[in-house]
Amino acid sequence: MTELPLVEPVGPQRVLYGGGVPVAALLKLPQWDAATRHPFLRAVGEGTASTFGVWLAQDALFVADLVAFQARLVARAPRSAQGVLAQGVVGLVAELDWFDIQAASLGVSLEVAPMRATRDYQALLVGLDEERYARAVVGLWVLERVYLEAWRYAASYGGTGRYAAAVAHWTDPAFASYVAALEELADAALAQEADDGVEDVVGAVLAHEVAFWDMAEQRDG
């Protein structure tokens, strides 16, 4: 298990997970770089990602799985967390419409079978469904935080080319605010239910994110 460095809480209301650190300290895990600074993302930012359509179709499948996972999470979440999570579900449903629009504009078919990385990610979501709420909401925060950081990385390479719509979509300030709200839910959940091993959840999500970017470069099937 990776030993996390201690960090100072941000403000007097900052809650801590088991081990004495806020969940944001999990950003220091080494896997974050691999998950958020992948070569595929740089190619997207530069407008040179020839396999972007592969990623788009598979990510649409993933988002459909995420809708189902998050809807169930709303049902078992504390009342104080349900508003943010429910708004996230609504946003994901709208995102499926966004995929349809992008696919049409790029001439990409979304009628595809899930590839291995997509199937594996679905299995991870199923596993999180069976975990305690605290672990499940941490997993949700991680996967959304990865997307935010990953697309910010893509944006750093221009983000104005053929795939500018995707870069803009996941670097929008509203999405950043949503991710911040999820972080607050994760901190609050772990304040109620400390978990010294929660970095295992984070590590699993990050590993699946790396595999998903790899898949986008057609390294597996």
Side-chain angles (χ1 to χ4, degrees), residues 11 29 38-39 68 73 104 108 111 125 141 143 153-154 167 177 182 187 189:
L29 288 173
H38 194 279
L73 187 61
V108 173
E111 299 300 318
L125 292 176
W141 164 70
L143 69 87
Y153 177 74
V167 176
S177 295
L182 288 179
D187 270 336

Side-chain angles (χ1 to χ4, degrees), residues 1-4 18 28 31 34 68 123 130 143 145 147 169 193 219:
M1 183 180 298
T2 302
E3 183 177 352
L4 296 175
K28 297 181 182 293
Q31 300 98 310
E130 298 172 354
L143 69 87
R145 180 62 184 258
Y147 261 46
H169 184 70
E193 190 177 334
R219 296 183 187 176

Side-chain angles (χ1 to χ4, degrees), residues 5-6 8 17 21-22 43 56 60 71 87 89 95 110 113-114 116 118 147 150 156 172 193 195 201:
L6 294 177
E8 291 297 323
Y17 82 82
V21 294
L56 188 74
Q87 288 174 8
V89 172
E95 192 159 283
L110 299 183
R116 184 175 65 190
T118 309
Y147 261 46
S156 74
D172 186 274
E193 190 177 334
D195 189 338
V201 173

Side-chain angles (χ1 to χ4, degrees), residues 16-174:
L16 306 177
Y17 82 82
V21 294
V23 292
L26 294 164
L27 300 174
K28 297 181 182 293
L29 288 173
Q31 300 98 310
W32 278 93
D33 279 351
T36 60
R37 289 166 173 77
H38 194 279
F40 172 74
L41 294 163
R42 176 173 180 169
V44 171
E46 294 173 339
T48 61
S50 61
T51 58
F52 182 81
V54 174
W55 170 83
L56 188 74
Q58 294 298 313
D59 204 53
L61 294 175
F62 168 74
V63 170
D65 291 334
L66 187 59
V67 170
F69 163 76
Q70 193 160 334
R72 290 189 292 268
L73 187 61
V74 172
R76 64 187 177 108
R79 179 68 187 88
S80 59
Q82 287 181 325
V84 170
L85 294 174
Q87 288 174 8
V89 172
V90 172
L92 289 171
V93 172
E95 192 159 283
L96 291 174
D97 294 334
W98 179 88
F99 276 105
D100 289 338
I101 294 169
Q102 293 305 308
S105 69
L106 294 170
V108 173
S109 173
L110 299 183
E111 299 300 318
V112 297
M115 296 173 71
R116 184 175 65 190
T118 309
R119 298 192 301 270
D120 289 347
Y121 220 146
Q122 181 186 43
L124 177 64
L125 292 176
V126 170
L128 286 174
D129 248 343
E130 298 172 354
E131 290 278 5
R132 300 185 304 276
Y133 164 74
R135 285 191 157 217
V137 77
V138 168
L140 176 62
W141 164 70
V142 173
L143 69 87
E144 297 289 23
R145 180 62 184 258
V146 165
Y147 261 46
L148 178 61
E149 298 300 331
W151 291 101
R152 283 174 171 171
Y153 177 74
S156 74
Y157 284 93
T160 58
R162 179 170 171 78
Y163 312 117
V167 176
H169 184 70
W170 279 293
T171 56
D172 186 274

